[in-house]
Amino acid sequence: MAEKGISSQGAGFYSHVLPALETRAWKKNRVAGDGWMAVGDAAGLVDPITGEGLYYAMRSADLAAKTLLSEAGGIAEKQQAYRRLLRKDFSADLEFSSRLARQVFLGRFLLGAVPARMIQFTRRSPRFSTLMQDLFAGTQSYLGLKNRLMQNLNGSLFEVAMSFGFSKLLSGGSRT
């Protein structure tokens, strides 16, 4: 907005609330019943942190179709099989991320809000940026996130610290 000469002073900013299940809702989440299977948003299959839902809509539809077309079992068995496939494929990870969402959006890290620090770290650390890209691309699970964060913490902190040092050297001691 500043680049376009639009003042944000006194402006109100709004955003859409993510349509994601809370942690306690995952235990009661009904994804199948007598004569029906829900997929995507209808099944609550949305990442509570990133808001991603398209992949989960397509993947859950694929799993539902495979379950329905399989030769094994009757309706009740197919409903259970669909639930198991979702859990094995990705819903356990989404449930875990629902526990992390509150910390991500309301937590604090290094005297600042977690989202702000995540953006700053992503800008200044190639290692952290790669981790975030993998998280948003869906190739890094939430269940394995803590281990990867801990493995990369020293390297990421080093890269962030060095980015400040190099920027001061390049700009003659002041940051613009």
Side-chain angles (χ1 to χ4, degrees), residues 48-96:
I49 295 175
T50 66
E52 166 57 32
L54 187 56
Y55 169 79
Y56 303 111
M58 300 300 289
R59 183 66 181 144
S60 60
D62 182 49
L63 294 173
K66 285 179 181 175
T67 303
L68 290 170
L69 295 173
S70 73
E71 299 290 327
I75 292 291
E77 291 83 11
K78 290 180 188 274
Q79 291 171 9
Q80 288 293 28
Y82 178 56
R83 287 184 190 97
R84 279 193 306 274
L85 285 172
L86 287 175
R87 184 122 187 107
K88 181 181 175 189
D89 201 279
F90 61 81
S91 71
D93 200 53
L94 292 180
E95 180 180 346
F96 182 73

mmCIF file of all heavy atoms in Angstrom, residues 48-96:
data_model
loop_
_atom_site.group_PDB
_atom_site.id
_atom_site.type_symbol
_atom_site.label_atom_id
_atom_site.label_comp_id
_atom_site.label_asym_id
_atom_site.label_seq_id
_atom_site.Cartn_x
_atom_site.Cartn_y
_atom_site.Cartn_z
ATOM 1 N N PRO A 48 -5.353 -26.312 9.678
ATOM 2 C CA PRO A 48 -5.681 -25.205 10.580
ATOM 3 C C PRO A 48 -4.643 -24.084 10.613
ATOM 4 O O PRO A 48 -4.933 -22.992 11.064
ATOM 5 C CB PRO A 48 -5.753 -25.865 11.959
ATOM 6 C CG PRO A 48 -5.794 -27.317 11.715
ATOM 7 C CD PRO A 48 -5.189 -27.566 10.378
ATOM 8 N N ILE A 49 -3.459 -24.345 10.101
ATOM 9 C CA ILE A 49 -2.410 -23.325 10.142
ATOM 10 C C ILE A 49 -2.285 -22.607 8.804
ATOM 11 O O ILE A 49 -2.281 -21.382 8.741
ATOM 12 C CB ILE A 49 -1.068 -23.940 10.585
ATOM 13 C CG1 ILE A 49 -1.206 -24.431 12.034
ATOM 14 C CG2 ILE A 49 0.078 -22.925 10.449
ATOM 15 C CD1 ILE A 49 -0.019 -25.161 12.581
ATOM 16 N N THR A 50 -2.219 -23.354 7.721
ATOM 17 C CA THR A 50 -2.015 -22.731 6.415
ATOM 18 C C THR A 50 -3.319 -22.400 5.710
ATOM 19 O O THR A 50 -3.331 -21.589 4.785
ATOM 20 C CB THR A 50 -1.197 -23.654 5.489
ATOM 21 O OG1 THR A 50 -1.970 -24.827 5.198
ATOM 22 C CG2 THR A 50 0.133 -24.031 6.112
ATOM 23 N N GLY A 51 -4.411 -23.040 6.107
ATOM 24 C CA GLY A 51 -5.689 -22.840 5.440
ATOM 25 C C GLY A 51 -5.827 -23.665 4.173
ATOM 26 O O GLY A 51 -6.845 -23.603 3.495
ATOM 27 N N GLU A 52 -4.822 -24.453 3.857
ATOM 28 C CA GLU A 52 -4.844 -25.300 2.659
ATOM 29 C C GLU A 52 -5.976 -26.300 2.748
ATOM 30 O O GLU A 52 -6.173 -26.946 3.774
ATOM 31 C CB GLU A 52 -3.505 -26.034 2.509
ATOM 32 C CG GLU A 52 -3.487 -27.180 1.527
ATOM 33 C CD GLU A 52 -3.896 -26.795 0.116
ATOM 34 O OE1 GLU A 52 -3.637 -25.669 -0.319
ATOM 35 O OE2 GLU A 52 -4.495 -27.653 -0.548
ATOM 36 N N GLY A 53 -6.726 -26.423 1.689
ATOM 37 C CA GLY A 53 -7.817 -27.373 1.670
ATOM 38 C C GLY A 53 -7.962 -28.095 0.351
ATOM 39 O O GLY A 53 -8.552 -29.162 0.285
ATOM 40 N N LEU A 54 -7.422 -27.523 -0.717
ATOM 41 C CA LEU A 54 -7.592 -28.107 -2.046
ATOM 42 C C LEU A 54 -6.977 -29.507 -2.125
ATOM 43 O O LEU A 54 -7.613 -30.442 -2.615
ATOM 44 C CB LEU A 54 -6.991 -27.194 -3.112
ATOM 45 C CG LEU A 54 -7.244 -27.594 -4.556
ATOM 46 C CD1 LEU A 54 -8.740 -27.726 -4.822
ATOM 47 C CD2 LEU A 54 -6.633 -26.578 -5.498
ATOM 48 N N TYR A 55 -5.750 -29.650 -1.654
ATOM 49 C CA TYR A 55 -5.120 -30.975 -1.687
ATOM 50 C C TYR A 55 -5.974 -31.987 -0.923
ATOM 51 O O TYR A 55 -6.208 -33.096 -1.407
ATOM 52 C CB TYR A 55 -3.707 -30.935 -1.091
ATOM 53 C CG TYR A 55 -3.164 -32.333 -0.867
ATOM 54 C CD1 TYR A 55 -2.648 -33.067 -1.932
ATOM 55 C CD2 TYR A 55 -3.217 -32.926 0.389
ATOM 56 C CE1 TYR A 55 -2.189 -34.365 -1.742
ATOM 57 C CE2 TYR A 55 -2.762 -34.222 0.582
ATOM 58 C CZ TYR A 55 -2.246 -34.936 -0.483
ATOM 59 O OH TYR A 55 -1.791 -36.215 -0.294
ATOM 60 N N TYR A 56 -6.430 -31.603 0.268
ATOM 61 C CA TYR A 56 -7.194 -32.529 1.110
ATOM 62 C C TYR A 56 -8.552 -32.860 0.487
ATOM 63 O O TYR A 56 -9.055 -33.965 0.653
ATOM 64 C CB TYR A 56 -7.343 -31.970 2.518
ATOM 65 C CG TYR A 56 -5.991 -31.686 3.140
ATOM 66 C CD1 TYR A 56 -5.577 -30.381 3.376
ATOM 67 C CD2 TYR A 56 -5.121 -32.725 3.436
ATOM 68 C CE1 TYR A 56 -4.329 -30.125 3.907
ATOM 69 C CE2 TYR A 56 -3.866 -32.474 3.960
ATOM 70 C CZ TYR A 56 -3.475 -31.171 4.197
ATOM 71 O OH TYR A 56 -2.230 -30.911 4.713
ATOM 72 N N ALA A 57 -9.115 -31.925 -0.253
ATOM 73 C CA ALA A 57 -10.376 -32.195 -0.955
ATOM 74 C C ALA A 57 -10.148 -33.241 -2.040
ATOM 75 O O ALA A 57 -10.905 -34.226 -2.147
ATOM 76 C CB ALA A 57 -10.935 -30.907 -1.558
ATOM 77 N N MET A 58 -9.107 -33.043 -2.826
ATOM 78 C CA MET A 58 -8.818 -33.976 -3.917
ATOM 79 C C MET A 58 -8.395 -35.349 -3.379
ATOM 80 O O MET A 58 -8.859 -36.381 -3.863
ATOM 81 C CB MET A 58 -7.722 -33.404 -4.827
ATOM 82 C CG MET A 58 -8.090 -32.086 -5.468
ATOM 83 S SD MET A 58 -9.549 -32.178 -6.508
ATOM 84 C CE MET A 58 -8.903 -33.101 -7.863
ATOM 85 N N ARG A 59 -7.533 -35.330 -2.380
ATOM 86 C CA ARG A 59 -7.036 -36.608 -1.841
ATOM 87 C C ARG A 59 -8.146 -37.375 -1.135
ATOM 88 O O ARG A 59 -8.245 -38.592 -1.291
ATOM 89 C CB ARG A 59 -5.860 -36.350 -0.888
ATOM 90 C CG ARG A 59 -5.247 -37.604 -0.337
ATOM 91 C CD ARG A 59 -4.570 -38.420 -1.425
ATOM 92 N NE ARG A 59 -4.020 -39.620 -0.828
ATOM 93 C CZ ARG A 59 -3.991 -40.798 -1.418
ATOM 94 N NH1 ARG A 59 -4.439 -40.937 -2.653
ATOM 95 N NH2 ARG A 59 -3.499 -41.840 -0.801
ATOM 96 N N SER A 60 -8.983 -36.701 -0.356
ATOM 97 C CA SER A 60 -10.064 -37.406 0.335
ATOM 98 C C SER A 60 -11.086 -37.938 -0.661
ATOM 99 O O SER A 60 -11.635 -39.040 -0.477
ATOM 100 C CB SER A 60 -10.730 -36.514 1.388
ATOM 101 O OG SER A 60 -11.295 -35.355 0.802
ATOM 102 N N ALA A 61 -11.337 -37.211 -1.744
ATOM 103 C CA ALA A 61 -12.247 -37.708 -2.790
ATOM 104 C C ALA A 61 -11.667 -38.961 -3.434
ATOM 105 O O ALA A 61 -12.389 -39.934 -3.699
ATOM 106 C CB ALA A 61 -12.492 -36.628 -3.841
ATOM 107 N N ASP A 62 -10.366 -38.949 -3.670
ATOM 108 C CA ASP A 62 -9.695 -40.124 -4.231
ATOM 109 C C ASP A 62 -9.814 -41.320 -3.284
ATOM 110 O O ASP A 62 -10.142 -42.434 -3.713
ATOM 111 C CB ASP A 62 -8.225 -39.790 -4.494
ATOM 112 C CG ASP A 62 -7.460 -40.940 -5.112
ATOM 113 O OD1 ASP A 62 -7.938 -41.532 -6.097
ATOM 114 O OD2 ASP A 62 -6.356 -41.246 -4.604
ATOM 115 N N LEU A 63 -9.577 -41.104 -1.997
ATOM 116 C CA LEU A 63 -9.675 -42.189 -1.017
ATOM 117 C C LEU A 63 -11.113 -42.695 -0.883
ATOM 118 O O LEU A 63 -11.339 -43.911 -0.757
ATOM 119 C CB LEU A 63 -9.138 -41.732 0.334
ATOM 120 C CG LEU A 63 -7.635 -41.426 0.394
ATOM 121 C CD1 LEU A 63 -7.257 -40.821 1.741
ATOM 122 C CD2 LEU A 63 -6.803 -42.660 0.091
ATOM 123 N N ALA A 64 -12.076 -41.776 -0.925
ATOM 124 C CA ALA A 64 -13.485 -42.184 -0.854
ATOM 125 C C ALA A 64 -13.853 -43.037 -2.067
ATOM 126 O O ALA A 64 -14.497 -44.086 -1.935
ATOM 127 C CB ALA A 64 -14.393 -40.957 -0.762
ATOM 128 N N ALA A 65 -13.436 -42.605 -3.249
ATOM 129 C CA ALA A 65 -13.744 -43.362 -4.471
ATOM 130 C C ALA A 65 -13.108 -44.743 -4.428
ATOM 131 O O ALA A 65 -13.759 -45.743 -4.761
ATOM 132 C CB ALA A 65 -13.266 -42.585 -5.695
ATOM 133 N N LYS A 66 -11.849 -44.813 -4.026
ATOM 134 C CA LYS A 66 -11.169 -46.119 -3.932
ATOM 135 C C LYS A 66 -11.880 -47.031 -2.945
ATOM 136 O O LYS A 66 -12.028 -48.225 -3.183
ATOM 137 C CB LYS A 66 -9.711 -45.924 -3.537
ATOM 138 C CG LYS A 66 -8.863 -45.403 -4.657
ATOM 139 C CD LYS A 66 -7.426 -45.200 -4.231
ATOM 140 C CE LYS A 66 -6.624 -44.657 -5.411
ATOM 141 N NZ LYS A 66 -5.265 -44.323 -5.080
ATOM 142 N N THR A 67 -12.308 -46.455 -1.836
ATOM 143 C CA THR A 67 -13.006 -47.241 -0.819
ATOM 144 C C THR A 67 -14.333 -47.758 -1.362
ATOM 145 O O THR A 67 -14.661 -48.930 -1.201
ATOM 146 C CB THR A 67 -13.247 -46.395 0.449
ATOM 147 O OG1 THR A 67 -12.000 -45.914 0.929
ATOM 148 C CG2 THR A 67 -13.915 -47.204 1.533
ATOM 149 N N LEU A 68 -15.083 -46.885 -2.001
ATOM 150 C CA LEU A 68 -16.389 -47.284 -2.532
ATOM 151 C C LEU A 68 -16.276 -48.318 -3.651
ATOM 152 O O LEU A 68 -17.112 -49.206 -3.770
ATOM 153 C CB LEU A 68 -17.152 -46.057 -3.038
ATOM 154 C CG LEU A 68 -17.638 -45.106 -1.950
ATOM 155 C CD1 LEU A 68 -18.165 -43.818 -2.568
ATOM 156 C CD2 LEU A 68 -18.702 -45.776 -1.093
ATOM 157 N N LEU A 69 -15.231 -48.207 -4.448
ATOM 158 C CA LEU A 69 -15.063 -49.118 -5.579
ATOM 159 C C LEU A 69 -14.398 -50.445 -5.206
ATOM 160 O O LEU A 69 -14.366 -51.356 -6.026
ATOM 161 C CB LEU A 69 -14.258 -48.431 -6.688
ATOM 162 C CG LEU A 69 -14.950 -47.231 -7.341
ATOM 163 C CD1 LEU A 69 -13.999 -46.525 -8.295
ATOM 164 C CD2 LEU A 69 -16.226 -47.650 -8.042
ATOM 165 N N SER A 70 -13.879 -50.517 -3.986
ATOM 166 C CA SER A 70 -13.218 -51.763 -3.580
ATOM 167 C C SER A 70 -14.246 -52.882 -3.443
ATOM 168 O O SER A 70 -15.417 -52.634 -3.148
ATOM 169 C CB SER A 70 -12.462 -51.567 -2.267
ATOM 170 O OG SER A 70 -13.366 -51.484 -1.193
ATOM 171 N N GLU A 71 -13.798 -54.080 -3.645
ATOM 172 C CA GLU A 71 -14.673 -55.252 -3.581
ATOM 173 C C GLU A 71 -14.937 -55.684 -2.144
ATOM 174 O O GLU A 71 -15.911 -56.371 -1.873
ATOM 175 C CB GLU A 71 -14.026 -56.419 -4.351
ATOM 176 C CG GLU A 71 -13.808 -56.137 -5.819
ATOM 177 C CD GLU A 71 -15.100 -56.066 -6.613
ATOM 178 O OE1 GLU A 71 -16.058 -56.784 -6.266
ATOM 179 O OE2 GLU A 71 -15.153 -55.275 -7.574
ATOM 180 N N ALA A 72 -14.074 -55.300 -1.245
ATOM 181 C CA ALA A 72 -14.136 -55.801 0.131
ATOM 182 C C ALA A 72 -15.223 -55.113 0.956
ATOM 183 O O ALA A 72 -15.405 -53.901 0.876
ATOM 184 C CB ALA A 72 -12.785 -55.607 0.813
ATOM 185 N N GLY A 73 -15.932 -55.914 1.756
ATOM 186 C CA GLY A 73 -16.835 -55.415 2.783
ATOM 187 C C GLY A 73 -18.106 -54.768 2.300
ATOM 188 O O GLY A 73 -18.286 -54.462 1.129
ATOM 189 N N GLY A 74 -18.984 -54.571 3.279
ATOM 190 C CA GLY A 74 -20.238 -53.878 3.045
ATOM 191 C C GLY A 74 -20.095 -52.405 3.368
ATOM 192 O O GLY A 74 -18.994 -51.893 3.559
ATOM 193 N N ILE A 75 -21.215 -51.714 3.472
ATOM 194 C CA ILE A 75 -21.229 -50.262 3.718
ATOM 195 C C ILE A 75 -20.516 -49.909 5.016
ATOM 196 O O ILE A 75 -19.687 -48.996 5.038
ATOM 197 C CB ILE A 75 -22.681 -49.722 3.730
ATOM 198 C CG1 ILE A 75 -23.282 -49.819 2.338
ATOM 199 C CG2 ILE A 75 -22.760 -48.307 4.244
ATOM 200 C CD1 ILE A 75 -22.661 -48.871 1.328
ATOM 201 N N ALA A 76 -20.823 -50.581 6.109
ATOM 202 C CA ALA A 76 -20.202 -50.261 7.408
ATOM 203 C C ALA A 76 -18.691 -50.439 7.341
ATOM 204 O O ALA A 76 -17.936 -49.613 7.864
ATOM 205 C CB ALA A 76 -20.799 -51.132 8.505
ATOM 206 N N GLU A 77 -18.248 -51.499 6.693
ATOM 207 C CA GLU A 77 -16.806 -51.741 6.565
ATOM 208 C C GLU A 77 -16.147 -50.677 5.693
ATOM 209 O O GLU A 77 -15.030 -50.240 5.966
ATOM 210 C CB GLU A 77 -16.533 -53.134 5.978
ATOM 211 C CG GLU A 77 -16.877 -54.280 6.906
ATOM 212 C CD GLU A 77 -18.363 -54.652 6.879
ATOM 213 O OE1 GLU A 77 -19.116 -54.163 5.996
ATOM 214 O OE2 GLU A 77 -18.770 -55.422 7.769
ATOM 215 N N LYS A 78 -16.842 -50.247 4.657
ATOM 216 C CA LYS A 78 -16.293 -49.200 3.781
ATOM 217 C C LYS A 78 -16.178 -47.866 4.528
ATOM 218 O O LYS A 78 -15.206 -47.130 4.340
ATOM 219 C CB LYS A 78 -17.140 -49.050 2.517
ATOM 220 C CG LYS A 78 -16.997 -50.243 1.576
ATOM 221 C CD LYS A 78 -17.842 -50.059 0.332
ATOM 222 C CE LYS A 78 -17.875 -51.310 -0.513
ATOM 223 N NZ LYS A 78 -16.803 -51.457 -1.439
ATOM 224 N N GLN A 79 -17.153 -47.564 5.367
ATOM 225 C CA GLN A 79 -17.086 -46.333 6.159
ATOM 226 C C GLN A 79 -15.869 -46.364 7.080
ATOM 227 O O GLN A 79 -15.127 -45.379 7.173
ATOM 228 C CB GLN A 79 -18.359 -46.163 6.987
ATOM 229 C CG GLN A 79 -19.583 -45.879 6.181
ATOM 230 C CD GLN A 79 -20.849 -45.940 7.017
ATOM 231 O OE1 GLN A 79 -20.805 -46.040 8.233
ATOM 232 N NE2 GLN A 79 -21.993 -45.874 6.349
ATOM 233 N N GLN A 80 -15.666 -47.484 7.758
ATOM 234 C CA GLN A 80 -14.510 -47.627 8.658
ATOM 235 C C GLN A 80 -13.205 -47.577 7.870
ATOM 236 O O GLN A 80 -12.232 -46.964 8.303
ATOM 237 C CB GLN A 80 -14.601 -48.934 9.458
ATOM 238 C CG GLN A 80 -15.669 -48.917 10.514
ATOM 239 C CD GLN A 80 -15.358 -47.925 11.633
ATOM 240 O OE1 GLN A 80 -14.684 -46.917 11.462
ATOM 241 N NE2 GLN A 80 -15.875 -48.223 12.803
ATOM 242 N N ALA A 81 -13.189 -48.238 6.712
ATOM 243 C CA ALA A 81 -11.982 -48.234 5.879
ATOM 244 C C ALA A 81 -11.637 -46.810 5.437
ATOM 245 O O ALA A 81 -10.463 -46.420 5.443
ATOM 246 C CB ALA A 81 -12.183 -49.139 4.665
ATOM 247 N N TYR A 82 -12.649 -46.034 5.073
ATOM 248 C CA TYR A 82 -12.423 -44.646 4.660
ATOM 249 C C TYR A 82 -11.834 -43.839 5.813
ATOM 250 O O TYR A 82 -10.856 -43.104 5.634
ATOM 251 C CB TYR A 82 -13.743 -44.034 4.169
ATOM 252 C CG TYR A 82 -13.649 -42.588 3.760
ATOM 253 C CD1 TYR A 82 -12.743 -42.163 2.800
ATOM 254 C CD2 TYR A 82 -14.499 -41.635 4.323
ATOM 255 C CE1 TYR A 82 -12.676 -40.834 2.411
ATOM 256 C CE2 TYR A 82 -14.438 -40.303 3.937
ATOM 257 C CZ TYR A 82 -13.518 -39.912 2.985
ATOM 258 O OH TYR A 82 -13.454 -38.590 2.611
ATOM 259 N N ARG A 83 -12.407 -43.986 7.001
ATOM 260 C CA ARG A 83 -11.866 -43.281 8.175
ATOM 261 C C ARG A 83 -10.404 -43.655 8.419
ATOM 262 O O ARG A 83 -9.566 -42.796 8.700
ATOM 263 C CB ARG A 83 -12.699 -43.603 9.414
ATOM 264 C CG ARG A 83 -14.055 -42.950 9.438
ATOM 265 C CD ARG A 83 -14.794 -43.249 10.757
ATOM 266 N NE ARG A 83 -16.157 -42.815 10.680
ATOM 267 C CZ ARG A 83 -17.184 -43.612 10.373
ATOM 268 N NH1 ARG A 83 -16.998 -44.901 10.160
ATOM 269 N NH2 ARG A 83 -18.400 -43.117 10.315
ATOM 270 N N ARG A 84 -10.101 -44.953 8.331
ATOM 271 C CA ARG A 84 -8.719 -45.426 8.549
ATOM 272 C C ARG A 84 -7.771 -44.857 7.491
ATOM 273 O O ARG A 84 -6.660 -44.428 7.811
ATOM 274 C CB ARG A 84 -8.658 -46.947 8.537
ATOM 275 C CG ARG A 84 -9.071 -47.604 9.831
ATOM 276 C CD ARG A 84 -8.704 -49.086 9.881
ATOM 277 N NE ARG A 84 -9.202 -49.848 8.741
ATOM 278 C CZ ARG A 84 -10.407 -50.391 8.665
ATOM 279 N NH1 ARG A 84 -11.265 -50.268 9.655
ATOM 280 N NH2 ARG A 84 -10.759 -51.080 7.588
ATOM 281 N N LEU A 85 -8.214 -44.864 6.246
ATOM 282 C CA LEU A 85 -7.362 -44.333 5.174
ATOM 283 C C LEU A 85 -7.073 -42.841 5.361
ATOM 284 O O LEU A 85 -5.941 -42.397 5.172
ATOM 285 C CB LEU A 85 -8.018 -44.559 3.805
ATOM 286 C CG LEU A 85 -7.978 -45.983 3.269
ATOM 287 C CD1 LEU A 85 -8.825 -46.100 2.005
ATOM 288 C CD2 LEU A 85 -6.544 -46.417 2.994
ATOM 289 N N LEU A 86 -8.094 -42.086 5.727
ATOM 290 C CA LEU A 86 -7.886 -40.656 5.985
ATOM 291 C C LEU A 86 -6.875 -40.447 7.110
ATOM 292 O O LEU A 86 -5.969 -39.620 7.006
ATOM 293 C CB LEU A 86 -9.207 -39.969 6.355
ATOM 294 C CG LEU A 86 -10.218 -39.751 5.242
ATOM 295 C CD1 LEU A 86 -11.504 -39.166 5.805
ATOM 296 C CD2 LEU A 86 -9.646 -38.847 4.157
ATOM 297 N N ARG A 87 -7.056 -41.184 8.194
ATOM 298 C CA ARG A 87 -6.175 -41.046 9.363
ATOM 299 C C ARG A 87 -4.739 -41.388 8.986
ATOM 300 O O ARG A 87 -3.803 -40.668 9.338
ATOM 301 C CB ARG A 87 -6.664 -41.941 10.496
ATOM 302 C CG ARG A 87 -5.876 -41.791 11.764
ATOM 303 C CD ARG A 87 -6.789 -41.375 12.896
ATOM 304 N NE ARG A 87 -6.024 -41.059 14.077
ATOM 305 C CZ ARG A 87 -5.854 -39.831 14.509
ATOM 306 N NH1 ARG A 87 -6.429 -38.823 13.911
ATOM 307 N NH2 ARG A 87 -5.152 -39.598 15.589
ATOM 308 N N LYS A 88 -4.574 -42.499 8.286
ATOM 309 C CA LYS A 88 -3.230 -42.939 7.885
ATOM 310 C C LYS A 88 -2.588 -41.957 6.917
ATOM 311 O O LYS A 88 -1.401 -41.670 7.004
ATOM 312 C CB LYS A 88 -3.319 -44.323 7.245
ATOM 313 C CG LYS A 88 -1.993 -44.892 6.822
ATOM 314 C CD LYS A 88 -2.161 -46.246 6.166
ATOM 315 C CE LYS A 88 -0.824 -46.733 5.654
ATOM 316 N NZ LYS A 88 -0.954 -47.918 4.825
ATOM 317 N N ASP A 89 -3.390 -41.429 5.990
ATOM 318 C CA ASP A 89 -2.856 -40.569 4.941
ATOM 319 C C ASP A 89 -2.522 -39.158 5.444
ATOM 320 O O ASP A 89 -1.430 -38.658 5.193
ATOM 321 C CB ASP A 89 -3.844 -40.506 3.778
ATOM 322 C CG ASP A 89 -3.193 -40.081 2.488
ATOM 323 O OD1 ASP A 89 -3.003 -38.864 2.298
ATOM 324 O OD2 ASP A 89 -2.880 -40.958 1.674
ATOM 325 N N PHE A 90 -3.455 -38.503 6.145
ATOM 326 C CA PHE A 90 -3.174 -37.117 6.532
ATOM 327 C C PHE A 90 -3.984 -36.575 7.708
ATOM 328 O O PHE A 90 -3.606 -35.562 8.281
ATOM 329 C CB PHE A 90 -3.349 -36.165 5.344
ATOM 330 C CG PHE A 90 -4.727 -36.146 4.767
ATOM 331 C CD1 PHE A 90 -5.742 -35.408 5.352
ATOM 332 C CD2 PHE A 90 -5.016 -36.874 3.629
ATOM 333 C CE1 PHE A 90 -7.014 -35.386 4.818
ATOM 334 C CE2 PHE A 90 -6.292 -36.856 3.083
ATOM 335 C CZ PHE A 90 -7.285 -36.111 3.679
ATOM 336 N N SER A 91 -5.108 -37.165 8.079
ATOM 337 C CA SER A 91 -5.939 -36.505 9.100
ATOM 338 C C SER A 91 -5.297 -36.520 10.481
ATOM 339 O O SER A 91 -5.546 -35.609 11.275
ATOM 340 C CB SER A 91 -7.361 -37.062 9.132
ATOM 341 O OG SER A 91 -7.406 -38.358 9.665
ATOM 342 N N ALA A 92 -4.455 -37.506 10.790
ATOM 343 C CA ALA A 92 -3.737 -37.479 12.077
ATOM 344 C C ALA A 92 -2.819 -36.257 12.139
ATOM 345 O O ALA A 92 -2.698 -35.611 13.186
ATOM 346 C CB ALA A 92 -2.940 -38.768 12.276
ATOM 347 N N ASP A 93 -2.203 -35.925 11.010
ATOM 348 C CA ASP A 93 -1.327 -34.758 10.950
ATOM 349 C C ASP A 93 -2.133 -33.469 11.095
ATOM 350 O O ASP A 93 -1.719 -32.536 11.791
ATOM 351 C CB ASP A 93 -0.553 -34.764 9.631
ATOM 352 C CG ASP A 93 0.684 -33.893 9.681
ATOM 353 O OD1 ASP A 93 1.510 -34.078 10.600
ATOM 354 O OD2 ASP A 93 0.834 -33.031 8.793
ATOM 355 N N LEU A 94 -3.309 -33.402 10.458
ATOM 356 C CA LEU A 94 -4.158 -32.218 10.598
ATOM 357 C C LEU A 94 -4.658 -32.060 12.029
ATOM 358 O O LEU A 94 -4.731 -30.947 12.544
ATOM 359 C CB LEU A 94 -5.343 -32.289 9.629
ATOM 360 C CG LEU A 94 -5.021 -32.188 8.146
ATOM 361 C CD1 LEU A 94 -6.295 -32.275 7.323
ATOM 362 C CD2 LEU A 94 -4.262 -30.907 7.842
ATOM 363 N N GLU A 95 -4.989 -33.178 12.657
ATOM 364 C CA GLU A 95 -5.418 -33.115 14.055
ATOM 365 C C GLU A 95 -4.292 -32.560 14.931
ATOM 366 O O GLU A 95 -4.512 -31.695 15.778
ATOM 367 C CB GLU A 95 -5.835 -34.497 14.554
ATOM 368 C CG GLU A 95 -6.287 -34.493 15.998
ATOM 369 C CD GLU A 95 -6.698 -35.870 16.508
ATOM 370 O OE1 GLU A 95 -6.889 -36.795 15.702
ATOM 371 O OE2 GLU A 95 -6.824 -36.000 17.737
ATOM 372 N N PHE A 96 -3.078 -33.039 14.704
ATOM 373 C CA PHE A 96 -1.929 -32.538 15.463
ATOM 374 C C PHE A 96 -1.718 -31.046 15.197
ATOM 375 O O PHE A 96 -1.455 -30.271 16.116
ATOM 376 C CB PHE A 96 -0.677 -33.332 15.120
ATOM 377 C CG PHE A 96 0.530 -32.912 15.891
ATOM 378 C CD1 PHE A 96 0.643 -33.245 17.238
ATOM 379 C CD2 PHE A 96 1.535 -32.180 15.299
ATOM 380 C CE1 PHE A 96 1.751 -32.842 17.974
ATOM 381 C CE2 PHE A 96 2.640 -31.775 16.024
ATOM 382 C CZ PHE A 96 2.756 -32.112 17.366
#
